[in-house]
Amino acid sequence: MSLDGRVAIDLFCDGGAVLQARVQPARAVALGPIVKGRSATEAIRVIASLFSVCGMAQAAAGVEAAEAAMGIETEPRTQTARRLVVFAETLREHLVRISLDVQHLTDATPEVALLRRAMTLPVRLRKALFPDGDPFAPGARAGMPGTDADRIAAEAAELTCAMVHAEERLSEMDPAAFAAWASEGSTAAARLAYPILARDWAMIG
């Protein structure tokens, strides 16, 4: 089961020109009846399982709400470790989306080996930072970061360089430098950006 939203967009055209656009977001689903009567830990797990995208981020929001309601004070180290796990999940979602979109847009073959490594980043970091249990259970405590966490963080940086860009931040490039980077096609992100620029889609919207 998934509660991920859907957006329907209807375009009304005449002779190739759009006369009207209608956007209909999916109706929100109430989570109250789904989690009512469950323990806080179980409710958080259910919430995380309902979303196919960023389930760990949903769990992190859930445990913060639960701990605040239960008066549980969370150690700063645990708060930081939870955020790092969510960051790893966010990075995975971006890298996977880049790889899948470049395949659809350019018919390029995805870099499967890199993609597989990116897919496992958040789970591996979660185990490294919380070796004794569920990081999103109320009252959970992070362990002391060790070499495994450092290695996974270094791998995350390596994958980002390999799939996006190794040197200058893309946000700091001027338009000409960005276009040059895209045209080189040295990474999956560059190969995704190039046809968007070539088709003059960059400024749509």
Side-chain angles (χ1 to χ4, degrees), residues 1-6 26-32 34-35 43-62 89 92-93 126:
M1 178 181 180
S2 174
L3 296 184
D4 293 333
R6 297 288 185 272
R27 186 179 62 180
V29 177
L31 291 177
I34 298 175
V35 300
I44 292 164
R45 288 176 180 166
V46 168
I47 290 171
S49 70
L50 292 176
F51 295 89
S52 62
V53 176
C54 296
M56 290 185 184
Q58 303 290 345
E89 180 185 57
R92 179 195 67 189
E93 298 293 344
R126 172 176 170 161

Side-chain angles (χ1 to χ4, degrees), residues 146-159:
T147 55
D148 282 350
D150 291 341
R151 179 178 51 78
I152 295 166
E155 184 179 356
E158 175 193 342
L159 287 169

